[in-house]
Amino acid sequence: MGEMMSSFDGMKLYLNKEVPDNARAVLVIVHGLCEHQGRYDYLAELFHKAGIGTYRFDHRGHGRSEGERTYYSDFNQLLDDTNVVVDMAVAENPDIPVFLMGHSMGGFTVSLYGVKYPDKKLRGIVTSGALTHDNTGLITGVPQGLDPHTQLPNELGGGVCSVAEVVDWYGKDPYNTKTFTTGLCYALCDGLKWFAGKEKEFAYPVLMLHGEKDGLVSVKDTYEFFAAAASEDKQMKIYGSLFHEIFNEYRKDEVIGDALRWIENRI
C-alpha cells in the first residue's frame, strides 16, 4: 500500500512499495512527465508474478506527492528524489539485487542518475523512451525567459500511445496533470546540457527501449545515448510502429517481457 516518505529536503513524496515473499530482486520504477506511479500497475503486476518487487513513487509536484504542480527549480531534484528511493530499496533488500527503470522524463532521470551516482549498488538500469538529447525539441523548444511558474498546456495525450483507450484514459486520469511549468522545462534543459558532456561516463549495465514512431521523444535520443555510453553490458531494442508509451502499447506484453527477461538474466 502507499505511504508518504520524506525526500532529501523534507518534501513528502507518495511511495508505493510492493515486494512479494521470497522476492528475487527489486525494481525501482520512475514515471514520466505529467503522469504518476499508478500508471505502471500492469507492469508491476507482471514483475510481482515473476518474483520481483517494485518500489514506485510520484515525482514531487506529481500524483499524490507534495510540491508545486509539475515544477522543478533544479534537475537534481529528480535525481536526488530517486536516490532516496534507491537507497531505501537497497537498505531494505540487502540480499537481493536492485534495478532501476525510468520512462520518458523518468528515463531522463535514470540516465543522468547513472552518471551522478556511479557507485550505487544497482545491478542494472532500464530506459524507456528516455529524453536524453531532445531531438524533437519537446522541452528545448519552450521559449526561454518566461516566469518559471508559468503553466503550459499538456498536449502530450494524443502522442503517448497508438491505443485509443490509453489516450482516452490519459486525459481523464485524475492523477495526471493538465499542465506543466516552464520551470520544469528549464530544469530539464539544464540537465540535458549537463548530461551532454558526461553521457560517456555512464557505465551501468543498461537496456534501452524505444518506440520507433515516438513523436514526443525521438528514437534518435536513444541511438545517441547508446553510442556514447561507456557500459560494457548495453543493449538496445527499438519497436517498429510503436509510439511513446511502449509499456502501454498493443505489444506491451512483449515489451514488458523483454525488460523482465533482461533483468532476470542479471539476477
Side-chain angles (χ1 to χ4, degrees), residues 204-251:
Y204 282 101
V206 64
L207 172 65
M208 302 182 190
L209 307 174
H210 217 116
E212 183 208 9
K213 294 282 190 280
D214 189 335
L216 300 177
V217 178
S218 171
V219 69
K220 285 184 191 164
D221 281 33
T222 287
Y223 289 149
E224 291 175 14
F225 180 29
F226 185 83
S231 312
E232 287 180 19
D233 175 6
K234 59 178 176 178
Q235 292 183 15
M236 171 172 64
K237 185 164 183 183
I238 309 303
Y239 298 90
S241 80
L242 297 196
F243 283 24
H244 185 52
E245 290 190 351
I246 50 178
F247 295 134
N248 288 326
E249 276 285 1
Y250 62 93
R251 282 162 56 196

Side-chain angles (χ1 to χ4, degrees), residues 91-196:
E92 293 176 355
N93 304 276
D95 302 321
I96 55 176
V98 175
F99 293 84
L100 180 61
M101 171 191 281
H103 169 71
S104 193
M105 184 179 79
F108 162 95
T109 302
V110 303
S111 299
L112 275 64
Y113 182 95
V115 171
K116 181 170 181 178
Y117 293 104
D119 304 322
K120 287 292 164 178
K121 308 291 189 281
L122 290 171
R123 190 66 59 90
I125 292 177
V126 179
T127 71
S128 158
L131 180 85
T132 53
H133 295 85
D134 198 19
N135 278 293
T136 59
L138 180 73
I139 300 295
T140 50
V142 171
Q144 291 294 313
L146 296 173
D147 183 307
H149 303 281
T150 305
Q151 298 280 342
L152 302 170
N154 174 6
E155 295 169 343
L156 307 175
V160 294
C161 195
S162 70
V163 180
E165 293 82 358
V166 173
V167 174
D168 184 51
W169 177 242
Y170 181 90
K172 294 176 180 172
D173 188 329
Y175 291 115
N176 284 349
T177 54
K178 303 286 188 286
T179 59
F180 54 95
T181 64
T182 48
L184 177 146
C185 298
Y186 297 159
L188 294 186
C189 285
D190 289 343
L192 291 169
K193 282 183 206 141
W194 178 83
F195 191 54

